[in-house]
Amino acid sequence: MEQVQNTSVLPPAFADWFARQGWAPHPHQLALLGAAGDSLLIAPTGGGKTLAGFLPSLVELADGWQGLHTVYVSPLKALTADIGRNLARPVADLGLPIRIEDRTGDTRSAARQRQRTDPPQILLTTPESLALMLSYPEAPRIFGSVRRVILDELHALSESKRGDQLMLGLARLRTLSPGLRATGLSATVEDPAALARFMGGAQVIHADPGPDPDIGMLATSRAAPWSGGGGHYAVPDVLAAVRGATTTIIFINTRAQAELFFQALWAANEDNLPIGLHHGSLSREARARVEAAMAEGRLRAVVATGSLDLGIDWGNVDLVIQVGAPKNVKRLVQRIGRANHRYNAPSVARIVPANRFEVIECVAALEAVRERDLDGDARGPGPLDVLCQHILLTACSGPFDADALYAEVVTAGPYADLSRAEFDDCLNFCATGGYALRAYDRWQRLMERGGLWGLRDPRAVRDLRMNVGTIVEAEMTKVRWKRGGGLLGEVEEAFAATLTPGDTFLTGGQVVRYESLREMSIEVTPNLSKEPKIAVFSGLKLAMSTELSHRVLALIGDPARWEALPQDTRDWLALQAEVSAVPHPGTLVAETFPHMGRWHLAVYGFAGRNALQTLGLLLTRMMETAGLGPLGFLSTDYAMLIWSVDPVTDLAPLLDRAALREGLGEWLADNAVMKRTFKNVAIVSGLIHRNVPGGRRTGKQATFSTDILYDTLRRHDPDHLLLRITATEAGRGLVDFGRIEEMLDRSPRLDHRMLDRVSPLAAPLMLEMGRVRIEGQGRMRLAEAEAEAMMAAAGLRLDGGTVLDLSDLPAPAAPAAKPADRRPRRSRPRTVPLPR
């Protein structure tokens, strides 16, 4: 750690400016000003990171500069605009002779063209726009004068392929302008040394972390329910907290849940408090209106997803409320930092768990925040599909030498260990498409001339530039008001395909009625009389991190730590310990029990939603082979539940690691997961193009094309580069098989209980299983009655209140007798070592 106390390094004009503001430069700001090489600054939200990053640039630019001096890269277009506004003040006050401009997807065409010939001194951009500019033939002239590169919110970029693309761009910038200095800025970093290596090597500078945040659970008039993910039970309490604050950001984990919670808030908002909604599927104009209202202090609250996670400075925000478990400690810290965006002022945040399991997760997350223990999975090597795109874009700027490009690429942190054979595989793919595709002209894109590689057909430049980027989202369909009205937002193409005229759905916080599909947009009219369908945004369900999973399991497994939990949650766990077993580190707890004429298997794996979803698929396949008649399954972050005709009496053989791996390979071979992953890889690598001149391919067209390519490559070129990338990504992402293996490693013993009815811990899973869309009071009352009977059988109350006192109930006489108000029968545990 380096901190410089001597303010003499600050030029007099700048020292005077600080004094006029009533400020003193922070030690970490001076440390960056005096840093000799690349730096990674880790400072709390509100700690002046942005000014620290730009201070060396402003000092160097004070005497004038011709051409581009500083490139600032952020994950969000909105953040570049915010930074531009914030920089305008010191530049104007100091009378600096510099221009500051942004270059994002929102920049007007005329400004983009001018920047290619007359770039500003400071350019604010995003990874995608930087990659696009580096593909211009003018790139050496534009970037040859660069002396500083600032990488904001680097922790957020490093967690996705956007970060890999950015590091390749940084390596390119170093080639075009040797000697430039890069500065990474971040507030939430679990492993600073690893993030510094991600930058390609950097000196780490730590700022004073500031005071601990004021965080805790929001006091609610009702206990959290046993199941569900909306948190609607707490709407009155959230509104009360909003009334007591100046401005509140209410974070929700998914877009669909944000829409629902926003609607629930409005229904209860008797005081007509001005409340906004902000998420990535709203129109750009709608988001801009909310951001402007926030900046001007005209909103009392905004319901938002991760679209407001990062460092935009909302000065009036003094409270953050997280509805639903955060799933990730770093994400929670980042969101907490949105409140009291001032150095040495504690952020105020409250958490609202959506259900009883989430109560435990929230307590574990709060403990981690207080201990400053951040989570995060280790980054693997740089993905090769991103490298393929980079090679093609490099060719767009002009011919290149393969040896020189390889030497440049391995200076990028994520690709430091890239072998020459892997690079050549990528180059061969870019040149020919690979063995099975080399006969098709459309994939013959590069050729070697005179020792240099270049585009075979210069006309390919347009298509390649139109498809820059690594973000592969679900295909979206625009939603507009009927008869030429404005844009409301977007819904997923797959959801739009389910709509028929007259259907209602929720978008932009409003219930609308689907009228027609016109010019590739959904036309709607206002509707307030029907219960809506919900626009479901897939791929956004957040899985609990590995470290947080371990914390939750450790908390549940140690009764001495239950004092941190609410009384009703403690009673729930105590009843589970009495009638079955409480999950704890080192042991995998599972239960088999009957209910409603079916057998159920609950496995408390605490391995995250994706891993337990995969485990459910694999176990049901093996149960089918064994003749047990599996009927279905569900998974949460905490557990997996399978229901079947016959019981699983011996779980150990089903958890055999070799059998699971073999089953995974067989399942993935023809599964939609692999085809979906291949589609994403094909788009990023440049095998197919989503954007084409005159329009954009629909999701169905892209899927149809990639499905044919996937089947062709599997049949004729099974070792194709893209198939290898697909297998790696499917196992690490959607399937998350590695976390299944991690679960088996940390739980070497199996405790499989045979019960005669639902256990307390399994009861919430049973409610999730029975959760269906209900229309009408009659069906709702029947469903509630059935749920109450099932919960009573587990010794619980449906209302999420106190645990029933079952001390006077007789012990079960025989397994055949199953009154609804009896507890699960105790049974001898079956404890065996798990197979290795």
Side-chain angles (χ1 to χ4, degrees):
M1 179 178 73
E2 178 181 338
Q3 292 184 335
V4 176
Q5 302 292 339
N6 183 6
T7 60
S8 63
V9 298
L10 196 63
F14 286 81
D16 291 344
W17 180 79
F18 272 96
R20 290 198 303 272
Q21 315 307 313
W23 301 342
H26 298 308
H28 58 270
Q29 294 173 327
L30 297 174
L32 271 186
L33 188 61
D38 293 349
S39 304
L40 170 61
L41 172 61
I42 299 173
T45 298
K49 289 191 303 298
T50 302
L51 182 56
F54 278 103
L55 193 56
S57 297
L58 297 180
V59 169
E60 292 172 11
L61 287 168
D63 295 328
W65 187 267
Q66 292 299 315
L68 182 59
H69 178 280
T70 297
V71 176
Y72 165 90
V73 186
S74 97
L76 298 177
K77 291 183 286 187
L79 190 50
T80 63
D82 186 65
I83 294 299
R85 288 191 297 267
N86 291 340
L87 276 180
R89 178 182 172 186
V91 168
D93 290 349
L94 289 161
L96 301 181
I98 61 176
R99 251 171 43 232
I100 302 171
E101 296 180 3
D102 62 43
R103 176 59 168 87
T104 70
D106 293 341
T107 305
R108 295 182 181 277
S109 176
R112 296 184 194 184
Q113 290 298 322
R114 177 177 48 75
Q115 289 168 355
R116 293 175 69 167
T117 57
D118 181 24
Q121 281 80 21
I122 297 179
L123 184 70
L124 314 175
T125 189
T126 61
E128 293 76 21
S129 291
L130 176 62
L132 182 60
M133 292 189 74
L134 287 171
S135 76
Y136 296 156
E138 304 96 333
R141 179 178 53 78
I142 295 173
F143 295 103
S145 59
V146 170
R147 290 296 174 266
R148 298 276 180 177
V149 177
I150 302 170
L151 311 172
D152 205 357
E153 304 291 355
L154 187 60
H155 67 282
L157 286 167
S158 70
E159 294 171 353
S160 71
K161 291 183 178 181
R162 299 182 76 202
D164 300 300
Q165 180 184 45
L166 176 58
M167 291 304 104
L168 288 170
L170 179 59
R172 189 73 181 143
L173 286 174
R174 295 186 194 279
T175 297
L176 298 178
S177 182
L180 67 79
R181 297 179 187 178
T183 300
L185 307 176
S186 188
T188 51
V189 181
E190 77 284 1
D191 188 346
L195 191 59
R197 289 193 299 273
F198 181 80
M199 288 181 60
Q203 169 193 9
V204 179
I205 298 173
H206 291 272
D208 183 339
D212 291 333
D214 174 4
I215 56 174
M217 304 277 269
L218 182 70
T220 57
S221 55
R222 295 174 53 196
W226 293 106
S227 66
H232 293 189
Y233 75 97
V235 162
D237 310 290
V238 171
L239 275 174
V242 169
R243 292 188 197 99
T246 302
T247 307
T248 303
I249 299 181
I250 303 167
F251 281 112
I252 314 283
N253 287 340
T254 71
R255 298 175 187 179
Q257 288 174 346
E259 291 273 2
L260 287 169
F261 198 85
F262 178 77
Q263 187 188 48
L265 277 179
W266 263 116
N269 186 15
E270 297 178 354
D271 298 336
N272 289 321
L273 298 174
I275 300 174
L277 176 66
H278 193 287
H279 62 69
S281 289
L282 297 178
S283 69
R284 185 173 66 191
E285 292 76 15
R287 296 196 305 272
R289 286 195 298 270
V290 171
E291 291 165 10
M294 283 278 288
E296 296 165 10
R298 291 187 282 111
L299 288 180
R300 294 295 301 277
V302 60
V303 178
T305 59
S307 58
L308 290 186
D309 269 4
L310 300 178
I312 299 177
D313 185 1
W314 308 119
N316 293 324
V317 174
D318 53 355
L319 176 64
V320 162
I321 298 176
Q322 166 71 40
V323 176
K327 303 301 175 187
N328 181 293
V329 179
K330 280 198 303 184
R331 181 180 301 111
L332 178 59
V333 170
Q334 187 70 38
R335 290 177 172 180
I336 288 171
R338 298 302 98 212
N340 286 342
H341 202 277
R342 298 185 301 276
Y343 195 47
N344 290 330
S347 299
V348 181
R350 297 293 180 262
I351 304 183
V352 179
N355 56 55
R356 196 62 58 90
F357 264 116
E358 286 197 357
V359 169
I360 303 171
E361 181 183 339
C362 289
V363 170
L366 289 173
E367 289 179 351
V369 172
R370 294 186 184 108
E371 296 171 12
R372 302 183 186 268
D373 182 17
L374 302 180
D375 48 14
D377 295 326
R379 285 296 313 273
L384 298 183
D385 54 343
V386 178
L387 177 57
C388 291
Q389 183 181 132
H390 181 73
I391 291 172
L392 289 169
L393 290 174
T394 300
C396 290
S397 66
F400 63 87
D401 176 79
D403 293 338
L405 183 57
Y406 172 71
E408 173 187 299
V409 165
V410 294
T411 65
Y415 297 90
D417 297 325
L418 180 78
S419 70
R420 183 57 192 257
E422 290 173 315
F423 176 84
D424 288 341
D425 280 349
C426 293
L427 181 60
N428 177 60
F429 163 76
C430 293
T432 68
Y435 169 76
L437 302 178
R438 65 177 61 246
Y440 299 89
D441 288 342
R442 63 179 297 186
W443 290 300
Q444 301 282 319
R445 292 171 294 185
L446 300 183
M447 66 181 300
E448 190 176 15
R449 302 182 183 93
L452 298 179
W453 290 87
L455 291 174
R456 184 182 296 271
D457 184 351
R459 292 174 297 182
V461 168
R462 178 191 59 185
D463 292 341
L464 291 170
R465 287 184 181 149
M466 287 181 67
N467 289 275
V468 169
T470 63
I471 301 174
V472 183
E473 296 180 338
E475 298 296 329
M476 308 298 287
T477 299
K478 295 186 183 303
V479 180
R480 298 183 182 277
W481 292 117
K482 190 174 175 63
R483 299 183 182 90
L487 179 66
L488 265 176
E490 297 175 318
V491 297
E492 288 190 359
E493 194 177 83
F495 175 79
T498 69
L499 298 173
T500 57
D503 281 347
T504 59
F505 62 97
L506 187 61
T507 187
Q510 304 178 66
V511 180
V512 297
R513 183 181 189 272
Y514 172 64
E515 300 293 346
S516 62
L517 181 68
R518 183 180 179 185
E519 296 178 353
M520 298 307 296
S521 295
I522 290 176
E523 290 195 328
V524 299
T525 55
N527 188 287
L528 300 176
S529 62
K530 292 182 65 177
E531 184 179 0
K533 288 187 175 182
I534 302 303
V536 179
F537 304 93
S538 69
L540 295 175
K541 288 187 176 180
L542 305 173
M544 185 167 53
S545 70
T546 301
E547 289 82 356
L548 187 52
S549 297
H550 292 175
R551 279 186 166 270
V552 171
L553 184 59
L555 177 58
I556 290 176
D558 185 1
R561 298 176 58 191
W562 292 357
E563 286 301 317
L565 301 171
Q567 183 62 52
D568 49 18
T569 304
R570 299 201 299 267
D571 292 341
W572 174 46
L573 293 178
L575 184 60
Q576 173 71 16
E578 180 182 345
V579 300
S580 180
V582 174
H584 55 278
T587 299
L588 181 64
V589 172
E591 298 166 338
T592 293
F593 54 83
H595 182 72
M596 300 291 290
R598 297 285 182 263
W599 287 95
H600 298 75
L601 170 69
V603 179
Y604 302 101
F606 294 89
R609 183 185 304 271
N610 292 342
L612 293 178
Q613 176 92 358
T614 298
L615 182 62
L617 288 164
L618 298 178
L619 292 187
T620 51
R621 282 172 62 93
M622 288 190 272
M623 288 171 63
E624 184 69 34
T625 302
L628 299 179
L631 300 171
F633 77 95
L634 64 85
S635 65
T636 68
D637 280 311
Y638 321 103
M640 176 213 66
L641 181 72
I642 298 175
W643 49 100
S644 59
V645 175
D646 294 316
V648 174
T649 57
D650 188 3
L651 180 59
L654 299 181
L655 294 176
D656 177 77
R657 196 174 303 227
L660 288 173
R661 233 177 220 295
E662 181 180 356
L664 177 69
E666 293 173 352
W667 174 67
L668 285 177
D670 296 302
N671 193 270
V673 169
M674 287 293 276
K675 290 188 175 180
R676 175 182 169 187
T677 307
F678 177 81
K679 173 187 172 183
N680 294 347
V681 169
I683 289 171
V684 172
S685 67
L687 183 68
I688 67 166
H689 295 153
R690 286 175 300 175
N691 299 312
V692 293
R696 180 183 175 97
R697 282 186 169 189
T698 67
K700 288 183 178 179
Q701 288 172 329
T703 300
F704 180 72
S705 299
T706 55
D707 283 356
I708 293 175
L709 286 168
Y710 176 76
D711 292 335
T712 299
L713 293 179
R714 278 193 59 217
R715 188 162 51 247
H716 300 293
D717 194 0
D719 194 43
H720 191 278
L721 173 67
L722 297 196
L723 292 185
R724 284 183 272 138
I725 298 173
T726 299
T728 299
E729 296 208 353
R732 186 173 55 204
L734 295 170
V735 175
D736 218 352
F737 189 77
R739 287 193 68 177
I740 297 177
E741 295 188 311
E742 189 272 339
M743 176 192 76
L744 298 177
D745 287 338
R746 62 175 161 81
S747 304
R749 301 188 67 80
L750 172 65
D751 185 352
H752 183 191
R753 305 275 175 140
M754 302 297 296
L755 307 177
D756 70 343
R757 66 192 71 243
V758 183
S759 75
L761 216 57
L765 299 175
M766 301 295 289
L767 287 181
E768 292 283 346
M769 184 181 76
R771 208 162 45 143
V772 295
R773 180 176 171 81
I774 300 169
E775 295 181 359
Q777 291 298 316
R779 292 183 62 186
M780 186 177 296
R781 287 170 58 190
L782 287 174
E784 288 178 352
E786 181 180 340
E788 284 178 0
M790 185 270 294
M791 296 296 283
L796 304 170
R797 283 178 54 178
L798 181 63
D799 62 10
T802 60
V803 178
L804 290 176
D805 181 4
L806 303 182
S807 57
D808 295 331
L809 293 180
K818 302 182 180 69
D821 61 350
R822 286 235 309 276
R823 291 173 295 180
R825 184 180 61 183
R826 275 185 168 281
S827 67
R828 169 177 286 179
R830 178 193 299 247
T831 306
V832 296
L834 282 180
R836 287 285 178 182

